[in-house]
Amino acid sequence: MKVGIVGAGNVGATAAFAMVTTGAASEIVLVDLDAALAHAQAQDILHATPLSKPVRVRAGGYADLKGANVVVLAAGVGQRPGETRLELLGRNAKVFGTIIPAVLEAAPEAILLVATNPLDVMTEIAAKISRLPPERVFGSGTILDSARFRALLGEHLDIAPTSVHAYVLGEHGDSEVLWWSGASAAGLTVTEMAAQRGRPLDAEVRARIDSGVRRAADSIIRGKGATWFGIGGGLARIVQAIRSDEHALLSVSAPTAEIVGIEGVTLSLPRVVGARGIVATLTPVLDDDERAALVRSATILKEAAAGLAL
């Protein structure tokens, strides 16, 4: 499967490398405004292919995206000192206004996978600019946040995180909602599993895990300036599900007609992902606190998107 990645910075390049090591793609084309950067990243990644998977990796222009099944949008501008979030969104919307038509001219059948922050609103922008069917344009959403949730739960329960099923809902950001009541392992709720393992999930442990998930990016950014390995792996996982028509349940962000009484908002929910993109969206059964938190998260996202004129 051919994958294009627009934006060859840390996130785009790491996603490409993760796709090589997992075999999620058979061909990868890196496109960037800085052609020298795209070429250097492609060459560096290509040199790892004899040690991993036989993936063709190269740099190119938009025309080279012809035939791509998936195009990852990892391009965007950084926030200027004193710039408001809405101003940043406006500038990134202009970037997408240039990129997306060029992508679709070359690869009109591609699925667009958004990785640019602020993720949920940028996904909504991509959907509006592209006018693609809703299943074909979505964002990485809370796939990384959910992985963090699973990892910390697995660590506490002393079981492999792959054996934990848990999702983070809503915004990829501060208002995200850890779906505790839906988290499970071996058919047991995580509370029941914790009791059997002699590792209770009391209020202190839950608060620590919540903070570990919600504040993970802050800690990483303080240490090295940005995050890229985790999201690179998440993007590769989504592409793998598309390539294999896996019908995997992944917490990705997409325009949603209605959730918890909020209409027309883009956010993360558990969604079935396969070769056509999003195959189905599931409605989580929430407790009262989770529902209230998801209402708040959806409201924040809807208000953020409402200030943009596209």
Side-chain angles (χ1 to χ4, degrees), residues 4 10 15 32 54 68 117 119 141 160 162 187 192 200 224 233 238-239 244 258 265 270 273 296:
N10 286 330
D32 197 280
N117 281 321
L119 190 284
T162 51
E192 293 166 339
K224 68 175 194 174
I238 295 167
V239 169
S244 303
E258 187 276 333
V265 62
V273 178
R296 175 177 175 271

Side-chain angles (χ1 to χ4, degrees), residues 5-43:
I5 300 177
V6 180
N10 286 330
V11 170
T14 305
F17 181 69
M19 291 176 205
V20 166
T21 58
T22 59
S26 58
E27 180 180 0
I28 299 171
V29 178
L30 288 169
V31 178
D32 197 280
L33 187 63
D34 184 342
L37 173 65
H39 177 75
Q41 299 281 39
Q43 285 292 293

Side-chain angles (χ1 to χ4, degrees), residues 15-295:
F17 181 69
M19 291 176 205
V20 166
T21 58
T22 59
S26 58
E27 180 180 0
I28 299 171
V29 178
L30 288 169
V31 178
D32 197 280
L33 187 63
D34 184 342
L37 173 65
H39 177 75
Q41 299 281 39
Q43 285 292 293
D44 197 12
I45 295 165
L46 177 67
H47 298 161
T49 57
L51 309 173
S52 52
K53 304 290 183 181
V55 181
R56 298 184 298 278
V57 185
R58 61 191 173 97
Y62 288 106
D64 296 295
L65 298 175
K66 182 178 179 180
N69 303 90
V70 180
V71 175
V72 177
L73 303 180
V77 296
Q79 193 164 11
R80 295 167 175 165
E83 185 176 39
T84 67
R85 186 170 181 268
L86 194 58
E87 288 168 340
L88 173 63
L89 278 169
R91 290 201 298 131
N92 270 329
K94 290 180 181 178
V95 172
F96 270 27
T98 300
I99 288 172
I100 290 173
V103 168
L104 293 179
E105 182 178 0
E109 301 303 317
I111 292 168
L112 299 184
L113 176 55
V114 180
T116 300
N117 281 321
L119 190 284
D120 302 288
V121 182
M122 291 307 298
T123 299
E124 182 161 338
I125 289 168
K128 288 180 177 178
I129 292 172
S130 68
R131 298 183 181 179
L132 288 176
E135 68 271 13
R136 282 181 50 204
V137 52
F138 54 97
S140 54
T142 57
I143 190 166
L144 175 55
D145 310 85
S146 296
R148 290 166 174 159
F149 191 18
R150 294 170 64 198
L152 293 177
L153 278 170
E155 182 179 57
H156 177 72
L157 298 171
D158 194 25
I159 60 175
T162 51
S163 297
V164 178
H165 302 280
Y167 298 91
V168 176
L169 314 174
E171 180 190 14
H172 171 56
D174 292 343
S175 72
E176 64 189 25
V177 181
L178 277 65
W179 185 20
W180 283 98
S181 67
S184 66
L188 302 171
T189 67
V190 289
T191 302
E192 293 166 339
M193 172 64 75
Q196 290 197 26
R197 297 286 291 150
R199 296 169 175 265
L201 278 167
D202 57 28
E204 181 180 350
V205 171
R206 286 177 180 248
R208 174 172 53 78
I209 291 175
D210 184 284
S211 178
V213 174
R214 199 180 303 275
R215 303 262 69 90
D218 297 342
S219 174
I220 294 168
I221 289 168
R222 281 196 302 272
K224 68 175 194 174
T227 66
W228 54 82
F229 290 117
I231 188 56
L235 291 165
R237 178 68 186 92
I238 295 167
V239 169
Q240 189 176 46
I242 294 169
R243 177 177 185 172
S244 303
D245 194 19
E246 191 175 334
H247 286 215
L249 271 171
L250 304 172
S251 56
V252 295
S253 182
T256 305
E258 187 276 333
I259 188 69
V260 291
I262 309 294
E263 296 182 351
V265 62
T266 299
L267 79 180
S268 286
L269 294 170
R271 304 183 196 267
V272 181
V273 178
R276 294 185 292 110
I278 294 175
V279 177
T281 296
L282 304 183
T283 301
V285 178
L286 307 170
D287 65 25
D288 290 343
D289 289 342
E290 291 163 347
R291 180 181 175 82
L294 190 55
V295 168

